[in-house]
Amino acid sequence: MATSAPTFVGRALAGKRVLITGTSGFLAKVVLEKLIREVPDVGGIVLLLRGSRDNPTSQQRFEREVLTSSIFDVLRQRSAEGLKTFCEQRIHCVTGEVTQPRLGLSEREFNLLAGRIDVIINAAASVNFREELDQALEINTFSVIHLAELARLAGDIPLVQVSTCYVNGFNSGAMHEELVHPTGLPIPFNQEGFYEVERLIGQLQEKIGVVRAKWGDTGRLSEKLIDLGIKEANAYGWNDTYTFTKWLGEQVALKATRRSTLTILRPSIIESTLFEPSPGWVEGVKVADAIILAYAREKVRFFPAKTDEIIDIIPADLVANSVLLSAAEAILEPGRQRIYQCCSGSRNPIQLGQLIDLLQDEARRNWQRYDRLFFKAPSRPFRTTSRTVFLAGLAAAKAALTLFDAGRKLIGVKTPLRAFESLKATQGLAVVFSFYTSPSYCFYNSKLLALAARVGESGRGRFPVDSALIDWKHYLGDVHMAGLNRYALKERRKPVADTTGVAQAALNPAEARSS
């Protein structure tokens, strides 16, 4: 653990008890590891985790699913005994469920928990873009209501709510660290600085009930709840259920804490670590990785994207540092609501075309380095086109392949066409990711950078947040692709997951559903 002079974060969190949700997910693990390594004097870390079939208690799940992660390898190498002692003395696990009132605890347990914490970091989320609407609401919206109630009961302690830059929805242009206004159907605005969403949430629940009543016995309920989520999100100004329900979560947080302390932290597309605990650490397949993987396995040849627009990627350790800086500020300077964005687009922009060129160049020159990613040298370039041309071409290709396949079946050939598999993968990726690869805005984070500068973390301090530190050529090749190969692709012989499913761990601080 760290032994040098305490940092701004170290001074703020010394003796404090920090509740973290979402620790089974990607970002929260990075936050937890950094907190253990850099703030040895923290009063305690309380982890709220759901039990699972194999690990019914939160303590079992922490020990077997979280603590075994390679994110803790550096700490284990420094002192395995020290890590063990820290976990035994400072980490306390609570078996609960953020989607339930009182977090699934009894009234007594809820009150006891409130008396044991000084700050809440909520990194639990469902980042499945095509989630069933009821489940997305539970984890991304209702959980915030329950945690805000816990913060109030604990004495109006600070709540740090991890959101996403993409709550900006169908807005366009310069997106700053401020309240997001919807672009779709009207939602009542409260002059205290938030939108009144309770009635809207009630209407969504009524529609969910109608869908359940109509489709509950048909085997199509999940599909219809996904469709409902997309329809409602689009109507109010968002691309998908994930970003819509995260925006709703922001509004209920702003209302619940309007006389107390709240920090909303919005990351952009979170990818592997830049520096710590080891460069390139990643867990699961994220947004850019889904396309890299499809390119490596030659599943996709064309993709709809705006190559001359900025794609906003941010390494996970810069986000984790932003979370901890925000928590420290909220403890030392309570009584305010703040919104920060952790992003690269305005500070150190990279266009999507540049990103694709850098990745392809690295793959062509050094594909043998990435033995779990590339099974052979890439033989086809990754091409992009406009969304309109792509959709027209996709429809034509699908029609032609359907006609051809029908002819094959007439003569008794039943083996599925490989072209159909490629078409399905392309369509799946396009449905999930094309909004994020055709950006219409640029994210700004001047307030976060001002905070870092004020506390002495603007450069290569112990909690850096500045995307100007990223050398894109070095990061994408030497760091990110190497990390993807080492950490995310463990076993070469396993079949590659369907690329339409990688949205479950794509844009934000947690796995598809982490708590």
Side-chain angles (χ1 to χ4, degrees), residues 456-469:
E457 294 291 351
S458 56
R460 291 182 179 270
R462 281 157 58 186
F463 290 85
V465 302
D466 193 350
S467 64
L469 297 170

PDB file of all heavy atoms in Angstrom, residues 456-469:
ATOM      1  N   GLY A 456      -3.744  19.814  -7.406  1.00  0.00           N
ATOM      2  CA  GLY A 456      -2.406  19.370  -7.762  1.00  0.00           C
ATOM      3  C   GLY A 456      -2.341  18.058  -8.496  1.00  0.00           C
ATOM      4  O   GLY A 456      -1.320  17.373  -8.477  1.00  0.00           O
ATOM      5  N   GLU A 457      -3.427  17.686  -9.207  1.00  0.00           N
ATOM      6  CA  GLU A 457      -3.437  16.423  -9.953  1.00  0.00           C
ATOM      7  C   GLU A 457      -3.616  16.657 -11.449  1.00  0.00           C
ATOM      8  O   GLU A 457      -4.105  15.794 -12.164  1.00  0.00           O
ATOM      9  CB  GLU A 457      -4.563  15.520  -9.441  1.00  0.00           C
ATOM     10  CG  GLU A 457      -4.367  15.037  -8.020  1.00  0.00           C
ATOM     11  CD  GLU A 457      -3.217  14.048  -7.886  1.00  0.00           C
ATOM     12  OE1 GLU A 457      -2.681  13.602  -8.911  1.00  0.00           O
ATOM     13  OE2 GLU A 457      -2.848  13.729  -6.737  1.00  0.00           O
ATOM     14  N   SER A 458      -3.219  17.812 -11.927  1.00  0.00           N
ATOM     15  CA  SER A 458      -3.440  18.127 -13.329  1.00  0.00           C
ATOM     16  C   SER A 458      -2.450  17.419 -14.249  1.00  0.00           C
ATOM     17  O   SER A 458      -2.712  17.221 -15.430  1.00  0.00           O
ATOM     18  CB  SER A 458      -3.350  19.646 -13.554  1.00  0.00           C
ATOM     19  OG  SER A 458      -2.101  20.128 -13.096  1.00  0.00           O
ATOM     20  N   GLY A 459      -1.278  17.049 -13.727  1.00  0.00           N
ATOM     21  CA  GLY A 459      -0.282  16.369 -14.549  1.00  0.00           C
ATOM     22  C   GLY A 459      -0.183  14.911 -14.198  1.00  0.00           C
ATOM     23  O   GLY A 459      -1.186  14.225 -14.009  1.00  0.00           O
ATOM     24  N   ARG A 460       1.040  14.402 -14.053  1.00  0.00           N
ATOM     25  CA  ARG A 460       1.241  12.992 -13.737  1.00  0.00           C
ATOM     26  C   ARG A 460       1.299  12.779 -12.228  1.00  0.00           C
ATOM     27  O   ARG A 460       2.230  12.187 -11.694  1.00  0.00           O
ATOM     28  CB  ARG A 460       2.528  12.489 -14.392  1.00  0.00           C
ATOM     29  CG  ARG A 460       2.450  12.400 -15.904  1.00  0.00           C
ATOM     30  CD  ARG A 460       3.738  11.863 -16.466  1.00  0.00           C
ATOM     31  NE  ARG A 460       3.683  11.755 -17.921  1.00  0.00           N
ATOM     32  CZ  ARG A 460       3.266  10.675 -18.574  1.00  0.00           C
ATOM     33  NH1 ARG A 460       2.860   9.623 -17.910  1.00  0.00           N
ATOM     34  NH2 ARG A 460       3.252  10.649 -19.895  1.00  0.00           N
ATOM     35  N   GLY A 461       0.282  13.280 -11.539  1.00  0.00           N
ATOM     36  CA  GLY A 461       0.193  13.052 -10.110  1.00  0.00           C
ATOM     37  C   GLY A 461      -0.286  11.642  -9.834  1.00  0.00           C
ATOM     38  O   GLY A 461      -0.323  10.781 -10.709  1.00  0.00           O
ATOM     39  N   ARG A 462      -0.690  11.390  -8.611  1.00  0.00           N
ATOM     40  CA  ARG A 462      -1.121  10.046  -8.241  1.00  0.00           C
ATOM     41  C   ARG A 462      -2.577   9.790  -8.585  1.00  0.00           C
ATOM     42  O   ARG A 462      -3.036   8.650  -8.533  1.00  0.00           O
ATOM     43  CB  ARG A 462      -0.851   9.819  -6.754  1.00  0.00           C
ATOM     44  CG  ARG A 462       0.628   9.488  -6.526  1.00  0.00           C
ATOM     45  CD  ARG A 462       1.109   9.773  -5.138  1.00  0.00           C
ATOM     46  NE  ARG A 462       0.384   9.059  -4.091  1.00  0.00           N
ATOM     47  CZ  ARG A 462       0.608   9.277  -2.794  1.00  0.00           C
ATOM     48  NH1 ARG A 462       1.517  10.163  -2.417  1.00  0.00           N
ATOM     49  NH2 ARG A 462      -0.059   8.606  -1.882  1.00  0.00           N
ATOM     50  N   PHE A 463      -3.312  10.827  -8.971  1.00  0.00           N
ATOM     51  CA  PHE A 463      -4.697  10.668  -9.407  1.00  0.00           C
ATOM     52  C   PHE A 463      -4.945  11.457 -10.703  1.00  0.00           C
ATOM     53  O   PHE A 463      -5.835  12.285 -10.777  1.00  0.00           O
ATOM     54  CB  PHE A 463      -5.672  11.131  -8.318  1.00  0.00           C
ATOM     55  CG  PHE A 463      -5.709  10.226  -7.118  1.00  0.00           C
ATOM     56  CD1 PHE A 463      -4.793  10.379  -6.085  1.00  0.00           C
ATOM     57  CD2 PHE A 463      -6.647   9.208  -7.027  1.00  0.00           C
ATOM     58  CE1 PHE A 463      -4.816   9.542  -4.981  1.00  0.00           C
ATOM     59  CE2 PHE A 463      -6.663   8.368  -5.930  1.00  0.00           C
ATOM     60  CZ  PHE A 463      -5.755   8.531  -4.902  1.00  0.00           C
ATOM     61  N   PRO A 464      -4.171  11.197 -11.754  1.00  0.00           N
ATOM     62  CA  PRO A 464      -4.329  11.971 -12.985  1.00  0.00           C
ATOM     63  C   PRO A 464      -5.677  11.689 -13.653  1.00  0.00           C
ATOM     64  O   PRO A 464      -6.177  10.563 -13.634  1.00  0.00           O
ATOM     65  CB  PRO A 464      -3.174  11.483 -13.859  1.00  0.00           C
ATOM     66  CG  PRO A 464      -2.887  10.103 -13.367  1.00  0.00           C
ATOM     67  CD  PRO A 464      -3.133  10.160 -11.885  1.00  0.00           C
ATOM     68  N   VAL A 465      -6.252  12.739 -14.258  1.00  0.00           N
ATOM     69  CA  VAL A 465      -7.531  12.614 -14.959  1.00  0.00           C
ATOM     70  C   VAL A 465      -7.474  13.200 -16.367  1.00  0.00           C
ATOM     71  O   VAL A 465      -8.458  13.111 -17.111  1.00  0.00           O
ATOM     72  CB  VAL A 465      -8.657  13.317 -14.166  1.00  0.00           C
ATOM     73  CG1 VAL A 465      -8.776  12.737 -12.763  1.00  0.00           C
ATOM     74  CG2 VAL A 465      -8.438  14.831 -14.095  1.00  0.00           C
ATOM     75  N   ASP A 466      -6.340  13.785 -16.726  1.00  0.00           N
ATOM     76  CA  ASP A 466      -6.238  14.560 -17.962  1.00  0.00           C
ATOM     77  C   ASP A 466      -5.964  13.665 -19.166  1.00  0.00           C
ATOM     78  O   ASP A 466      -4.930  12.987 -19.239  1.00  0.00           O
ATOM     79  CB  ASP A 466      -5.119  15.597 -17.811  1.00  0.00           C
ATOM     80  CG  ASP A 466      -5.135  16.641 -18.912  1.00  0.00           C
ATOM     81  OD1 ASP A 466      -5.883  16.468 -19.892  1.00  0.00           O
ATOM     82  OD2 ASP A 466      -4.373  17.626 -18.793  1.00  0.00           O
ATOM     83  N   SER A 467      -6.855  13.680 -20.142  1.00  0.00           N
ATOM     84  CA  SER A 467      -6.688  12.858 -21.346  1.00  0.00           C
ATOM     85  C   SER A 467      -5.536  13.330 -22.225  1.00  0.00           C
ATOM     86  O   SER A 467      -5.124  12.613 -23.144  1.00  0.00           O
ATOM     87  CB  SER A 467      -7.979  12.851 -22.167  1.00  0.00           C
ATOM     88  OG  SER A 467      -8.278  14.161 -22.636  1.00  0.00           O
ATOM     89  N   ALA A 468      -4.999  14.521 -21.946  1.00  0.00           N
ATOM     90  CA  ALA A 468      -3.830  14.988 -22.703  1.00  0.00           C
ATOM     91  C   ALA A 468      -2.630  14.069 -22.480  1.00  0.00           C
ATOM     92  O   ALA A 468      -1.666  14.103 -23.259  1.00  0.00           O
ATOM     93  CB  ALA A 468      -3.476  16.420 -22.301  1.00  0.00           C
ATOM     94  N   LEU A 469      -2.668  13.244 -21.457  1.00  0.00           N
ATOM     95  CA  LEU A 469      -1.585  12.295 -21.175  1.00  0.00           C
ATOM     96  C   LEU A 469      -1.570  11.131 -22.169  1.00  0.00           C
ATOM     97  O   LEU A 469      -0.602  10.374 -22.211  1.00  0.00           O
ATOM     98  CB  LEU A 469      -1.738  11.741 -19.759  1.00  0.00           C
ATOM     99  CG  LEU A 469      -1.632  12.761 -18.618  1.00  0.00           C
ATOM    100  CD1 LEU A 469      -2.046  12.118 -17.297  1.00  0.00           C
ATOM    101  CD2 LEU A 469      -0.220  13.315 -18.521  1.00  0.00           C
TER     102      LEU A 469
END
